[in-house]
Amino acid sequence: MSKLEPNQSLAASPAPSALGAREIAVFAREQAVDRREEAAELRDKAADEREQISNAAVERREVATHLLEANQHLVVAAVHAQTMAEEAERATREMSFKAERDFLTGLPNRALLNDRLAQAIALVRRHRKRLAVLYVDLDNFKDINDSFGHSVGDQLLQSAARRLEHCIRHSDTVSRHGGDEFIVLLSEVESAEDAARVSVKLITAMAEPHLIDDHRIEVTSSIGICLFADDSEDAESLLTNADTAMYHAKRAGRNNYKRFTPEMNATAPAHQPLHLVR
């Protein structure tokens, strides 16, 4: 074995303690690198999870937005459909009203009167009661039209319609039969006297002055009465006989009423000349 020279350093061959420290330091650095890599992986994983959560939240918001928009569209569609249904129903009511009402006075027209008269006859037949038809005609209405014009004449007809309606019960009917003629259906009466009392009430109300524009118009009325089933047994003859009785009331001086009797048909001239008595 050779001996060390005096000046030869022991550092030429590291001491065991120095080697152990370096190895520990290397190992520690390697451990630190591993930890950093693991931390990086965890950060990447956490970032992926956050991104997934964020994407899911976005998707949920988008779904919620789509659902909200769809719901709003449904609400708008439902409101629109309801509006259209209401408009269609209103149009149907208006068409039905126009089909059954007189355009000038708003009273039931002949078609609606015939329907109500048929129902009233069926009802009184079952209960063995009476009904009355009053045929009302304004006296000398043509003179009013000629003197004041058709506009005033139309307003007079409207005023006459309102007065007739105010004189009867809710269960009765006033109908404009055409021109200056009106039909009053008393759906149930006990006797001819009931119909006569109503006729007097109508004549009195009609004779009160009508204030139209700047005019004070006075007009009278003549009324013919026919009772079911005393004087007639069907709707057509009720109206015809009441019409005949009305013309006899005119011939008797106007501004009064007459109840139909069979003798009126026997003694009256042809129906057409009777119309000239107005």
Side-chain angles (χ1 to χ4, degrees), residues 168-206:
I168 63 170
R169 303 167 298 186
H170 291 296
S171 58
D172 300 328
T173 298
V174 178
S175 169
R176 185 182 178 208
H177 209 56
D180 59 338
E181 298 175 333
F182 300 88
I183 300 294
V184 177
L185 168 61
L186 304 180
S187 58
E188 185 176 319
V189 295
E190 293 296 331
S191 64
E193 287 72 20
D194 293 338
R197 280 193 293 271
V198 174
S199 296
V200 171
K201 187 177 180 181
L202 296 177
I203 289 171
T204 303
M206 195 63 67

Side-chain angles (χ1 to χ4, degrees), residues 1-52:
M1 176 180 296
S2 61
K3 293 182 180 181
L4 292 174
E5 294 295 331
N7 293 331
Q8 187 177 6
S9 173
L10 292 175
S13 61
S17 58
L19 288 173
R22 282 197 299 273
E23 289 175 354
I24 291 172
V26 171
F27 180 74
R29 284 195 299 273
E30 291 175 352
Q31 290 292 313
V33 171
D34 291 341
R35 297 294 180 272
R36 285 195 296 272
E37 291 177 352
E38 290 177 0
E41 292 176 357
L42 289 174
R43 286 195 299 273
D44 292 342
K45 185 176 182 181
D48 292 341
E49 290 179 353
R50 285 195 299 271
E51 185 176 359
Q52 291 175 0

Side-chain angles (χ1 to χ4, degrees), residues 68-255:
L68 181 60
E69 291 176 352
N71 184 62
Q72 290 174 341
H73 288 315
L74 286 174
V75 170
V76 171
V79 171
H80 182 64
Q82 179 66 23
T83 302
M84 291 182 63
E86 291 174 354
E87 290 179 353
E89 184 178 352
R90 178 180 54 79
T92 300
R93 287 196 303 269
E94 289 181 356
M95 291 177 62
S96 177
F97 182 86
K98 291 179 180 179
E100 296 178 339
R101 298 282 169 167
D102 173 59
F103 73 96
L104 179 63
T105 63
L107 294 176
N109 59 17
R110 292 191 183 197
L112 184 54
L113 172 68
N114 290 337
D115 183 60
R116 292 185 179 179
L117 182 55
Q119 294 180 31
I121 290 175
L123 186 63
V124 296
R125 274 179 175 158
R126 285 198 299 270
H127 297 287
R128 299 184 182 277
K129 299 286 186 178
R130 293 183 177 89
L131 65 79
V133 167
L134 311 182
Y135 205 115
V136 184
D137 186 88
L138 303 186
D139 298 323
N140 301 314
F141 180 73
K142 183 177 183 300
D143 294 342
I144 295 172
N145 264 341
D146 293 342
S147 300
F148 299 101
H150 289 280
S151 175
V152 171
D154 287 345
Q155 293 179 70
L156 176 59
L157 290 175
Q158 293 169 341
S159 176
R162 290 192 295 270
R163 292 192 183 184
L164 293 175
E165 284 190 306
H166 290 160
C167 291
I168 63 170
R169 303 167 298 186
H170 291 296
S171 58
D172 300 328
T173 298
V174 178
S175 169
R176 185 182 178 208
H177 209 56
D180 59 338
E181 298 175 333
F182 300 88
I183 300 294
V184 177
L185 168 61
L186 304 180
S187 58
E188 185 176 319
V189 295
E190 293 296 331
S191 64
E193 287 72 20
D194 293 338
R197 280 193 293 271
V198 174
S199 296
V200 171
K201 187 177 180 181
L202 296 177
I203 289 171
T204 303
M206 195 63 67
E208 291 292 324
H210 297 257
L211 303 179
I212 299 175
D213 294 339
D214 296 328
H215 308 294
R216 181 184 175 92
I217 300 177
E218 295 183 359
V219 63
T220 60
S221 56
S222 299
I223 299 177
I225 303 172
C226 187
L227 266 66
F228 179 91
D230 302 54
D231 306 327
S232 301
E233 296 186 353
D234 60 76
E236 183 177 357
S237 62
L238 269 170
L239 294 172
T240 299
N241 293 342
D243 186 21
T244 299
M246 181 269 294
Y247 285 114
H248 278 271
K250 282 185 176 291
R251 286 204 160 191
R254 300 184 174 86
N255 196 32

